[in-house]
Amino acid sequence: MRSAADRTRHLIQRIVTMVAVVAGGATLLNLLAGSPDELTEAEAAAAERGYYLNDATLTELGPDGRPRVVVRARSIEQQLADQSVHLAQIELDYTTQKQGEWRVTADRGRMPSDRGSLLLAGNVLVVGAAERSAGQAIIRTDELAYDTRTNVVQTAAPVTVDIGPHQLRGRGMRVGLNQGTLRLESNVNGQFIPQPRP
């Protein structure tokens, strides 16, 4: 049985293949209908960038048939030069059995050609449920890398973590989504507000 990360990569690869086949067919029809000299500048630019999607939603289902990973982006664009994929205005909803639901948003993202990671940048915000007694967890940073194979999220940039009324700050972070672990790497400091006794 394939892992969730493998299913996500397989889903993305199928979508990429389908879009490439449609784009290739459209290009062939254009070439048969007219001479290559008639290609416009816009068509040449589109050929260099590969496929392009606006207001796209990609969904991976879990073993129970419910959405496990949902990615929304204002635009998704393939770069033919290195086969990477660029995304703009990303929202990623990730559901785990142990850790509940998490939402990640970022201004932009890039998926390298091996589809093994998703690199997010610009106003990266991760929101999810912390332990029931602690309330909501909010992670803020400028850069974040999500390893689709191991379900590990990490960054070397400054990070702020709010868990309920408490706040931690540091540089560098590693989160194991499957294990529910979070580790700040260096320059860690925080503010903990005592909870009133009942």
Side-chain angles (χ1 to χ4, degrees):
M1 181 177 210
R2 284 190 213 161
S3 70
D6 286 340
R7 289 194 306 271
T8 301
R9 281 193 308 283
H10 186 59
L11 173 67
I12 291 172
Q13 288 172 345
R14 281 189 286 174
I15 291 170
V16 168
T17 302
M18 182 179 66
V19 172
V21 168
V22 171
T27 302
L28 179 62
L29 286 175
N30 282 338
L31 289 174
L32 293 174
S35 70
D37 296 335
E38 295 174 0
L39 288 176
T40 65
E41 207 171 289
E43 289 170 326
E48 291 173 6
R49 74 174 176 208
Y51 66 84
Y52 187 90
L53 305 171
N54 283 323
D55 298 320
T57 301
L58 306 174
T59 303
E60 177 192 326
L61 302 178
D64 60 359
R66 294 182 180 167
R68 192 184 75 83
V69 178
V70 179
V71 178
R72 292 178 215 54
R74 182 185 294 166
S75 66
I76 301 176
E77 180 179 330
Q78 180 193 33
Q79 305 296 309
L80 289 181
D82 62 1
Q83 295 298 308
S84 65
V85 177
H86 292 208
L87 303 96
Q89 297 300 313
I90 306 158
E91 289 182 11
L92 185 147
D93 293 327
Y94 181 83
T95 303
T96 65
Q97 289 181 347
K98 291 183 180 178
Q99 307 306 319
E101 296 179 5
W102 290 83
R103 171 167 280 194
V104 180
T105 59
D107 293 342
R108 60 194 174 278
R110 180 177 176 274
M111 182 173 281
S113 60
D114 68 357
R115 310 293 186 251
S117 61
L118 179 60
L119 311 172
L120 302 174
N123 299 309
V124 180
L125 182 68
V126 181
V127 179
E131 297 201 11
R132 291 182 182 147
S133 61
Q136 191 175 56
I138 301 171
I139 301 169
R140 293 179 182 87
T141 187
D142 286 329
E143 299 174 356
L144 196 66
Y146 169 50
D147 187 318
T148 61
R149 295 181 179 111
T150 62
N151 289 323
V152 170
V153 174
Q154 58 187 354
T155 183
V159 179
T160 301
V161 180
D162 294 323
I163 301 175
H166 313 297
Q167 185 177 84
L168 287 168
R169 290 173 300 283
R171 176 172 286 277
M173 174 191 72
R174 181 180 171 90
V175 178
L177 295 176
N178 294 338
Q179 299 81 15
T181 59
L182 182 145
R183 183 178 73 212
L184 294 174
E185 303 290 345
S186 64
N187 298 332
V188 178
N189 61 67
Q191 176 181 2
F192 291 85
I193 299 173
Q195 298 295 317
R197 294 186 180 192

